[in-house]
Amino acid sequence: MAASMCDVFSFCVGVAGSARVSVEVRFVSSAKGKGLFATQLIRKGETIFVERPLVAAQFLWNALYRYRACDHCLRALEKAEENAQRLTGKPGQVLPHPELCTVHKDLHQNCPHCQVMYCSAECRLAAAEQYHQVLCPGPSQDDPLHPLNKLQEAWRSVHYPPETASIMLMARMVATVKQAKDKDRWIRLFSQFCNKTANEEEEIVHKLLGDKFKSQLDLLRRLFTEALYEEALSQWFTPDGFRSLFALVGTNGQGIGTSSLSQWVHACDALELKPQDREQLDAFIDQLYKDIEAATGEFLNCEGSGLFVLQSCCNHSCVPNAETSFPENNFLLHVTALEDIKPGEEICISYLDCCQRERSRHSRHKILSWNYLFICSCPKCLAEADEPNVTSEEEEEEEEEGEPEDAELGDEMTDV
């Protein structure tokens, strides 16, 4: 049974302060499923919609390595200067213009029972009302024998960085239903996400868990059941249902990235400065990122993923007319038009990053088929249909190092 559009739009939080809704979900084809379409003219640069996820969770390794984020909305909790000090490995690192930092530590609150941290009282209460009453380990937060801790440790042992999913996203789905007064409504909402065939689901699980995925999946299902079994969701705990749940999260989880340092940099960019002062500040920021790259590499953000109903209806194009971002430094997803979009036109985002979109059609198809199990037929791919199915020497060298690139897909992690 499908969720109503009222259910769907209740998770959107408005468009640029307006109540209007300029999109609708339509069935496209058996191959593509649903799509999102404009119902009126959307101008380039306009925010099409802002969406709150049904559930979201920080990646487990990311949290373990002290990327401190709100346990509910994933807002970065470190001050920008603290963030810079940790990422550069320089305890004495000082940032100019500290007044531009958007982190307000005086608003932070923790759960009084398990001490997990939130950015505000609003987030603490929202988590408690939706799922945290079920998931709160209380004083057993650091007990390795607690069922949820056993589940998380098992997940970390099979899914290493760069992370693309979290078992805790699935746990929050179950906990949400367990706590809900209207369980059927939440089950309908979760059922909106695409379903795959058994063979496709197995490929997705294989990608997430590696070559020994069958035995690992059995272990995770047993621990998941011990920690969270819910009669209303009994199908999710069967071997087939658990595999389907994995596939749902693997193909629909939208990456979320937050960073107090990034917010500070954006604020610095907006400063009106004398040319000499601007040059000095830009040089400082450039050197700061070089120092971070040398010390930390590519892992800059607090990272996690969430399930977004409307965003999941946006199909892929190698020439997208919209893009996703998280400019509020939390889990609120903004979809913005990259060009004018006419009424009746489909709104498409890209599941590839900018560099991947510039690669050959053959290489793009390899990445998309490996990660999402479909062959793209967007205008760019159709126009390049006569190109040979080969990669350049440079691309072949990259792919010889491992599987097709999947560490930084545009759909899975979007810059803040």
Side-chain angles (χ1 to χ4, degrees), residues 240-312:
D240 288 347
F242 192 62
R243 183 192 62 209
S244 296
L245 191 59
F246 250 85
L248 183 156
V249 169
T251 53
N252 292 282
Q254 161 70 46
I256 300 169
T258 64
S259 167
S260 55
L261 180 61
S262 176
Q263 293 288 300
W264 175 84
V265 170
H266 288 322
C268 286
D269 290 341
L271 287 174
E272 294 185 5
L273 301 173
K274 296 178 181 178
Q276 183 178 358
D277 293 336
R278 167 57 61 191
E279 185 176 342
Q280 290 178 346
L281 182 58
D282 288 348
F284 173 85
I285 292 172
D286 288 343
Q287 185 59 51
L288 179 66
Y289 275 113
K290 289 178 183 178
D291 293 344
I292 290 172
E293 183 177 7
T296 310
E298 63 185 32
F299 299 102
L300 304 183
N301 299 335
C302 298
E303 297 180 358
S305 63
L307 293 178
F308 297 83
V309 177
L310 278 183
Q311 177 273 336
S312 71

Side-chain angles (χ1 to χ4, degrees), residues 27-218:
F27 177 77
V28 179
S29 66
S30 57
K32 295 180 71 173
K34 296 173 293 187
L36 198 65
F37 292 80
T39 57
Q40 58 191 68
L41 177 64
I42 301 171
R43 294 294 186 185
K44 178 180 178 180
E46 184 178 346
T47 299
I48 303 172
F49 64 87
V50 181
E51 186 176 12
R52 180 185 293 109
L54 299 184
V55 287
Q58 187 177 5
F59 293 148
L60 292 179
W61 280 105
N62 189 258
L64 191 67
Y65 281 120
R66 298 186 298 114
Y67 288 75
R68 297 180 58 240
C70 173
D71 198 58
H72 182 64
C73 77
L74 274 69
R75 183 183 299 278
L77 296 178
E78 290 178 305
K79 287 279 191 179
E81 190 167 273
E82 294 174 324
N83 194 197
Q85 291 169 351
R86 179 173 57 79
L87 293 176
T88 60
K90 298 178 178 179
Q93 177 72 62
V94 176
L95 297 185
H97 303 289
E99 73 281 359
L100 298 180
C101 178
T102 59
V103 175
H104 300 286
K105 288 196 168 186
D106 55 314
L107 299 179
H108 295 178
Q109 292 193 6
N110 56 15
C111 169
H113 307 293
C114 68
Q115 307 307 314
V116 297
M117 190 65 68
Y118 299 97
C119 67
S120 63
E122 291 78 10
C123 275
R124 180 179 63 80
L125 292 172
E129 289 175 3
Q130 183 178 337
Y131 55 80
H132 190 66
Q133 293 176 50
V134 168
L135 297 179
C136 180
S140 300
Q141 171 75 358
D142 298 320
D143 180 0
L145 298 180
H146 188 280
L148 282 174
N149 289 336
K150 290 167 65 176
L151 177 64
Q152 293 179 75
E153 181 57 34
W155 175 258
R156 281 192 292 264
S157 72
V158 298
H159 190 69
Y160 294 97
E163 299 169 273
T164 58
S166 172
I167 195 76
M168 292 310 292
L169 191 64
M170 298 161 60
R172 289 187 178 182
M173 292 170 67
V174 173
T176 294
V177 175
K178 288 175 78 76
Q179 278 192 214
K181 293 179 180 179
D182 188 351
K183 298 182 188 300
D184 289 341
R185 175 174 176 268
W186 280 98
I187 293 172
R188 289 196 304 270
L189 283 165
F190 289 134
S191 72
Q192 286 294 286
F193 298 95
C194 68
N195 295 313
K196 300 290 185 181
T197 66
N199 287 339
E200 288 175 330
E201 289 176 350
E202 193 162 286
E203 285 189 52
I204 295 164
V205 175
H206 185 177
K207 171 183 175 290
L208 288 173
L209 300 183
D211 290 337
K212 297 179 180 179
F213 70 95
K214 290 184 178 179
S215 62
Q216 293 166 342
L217 191 64
D218 287 340

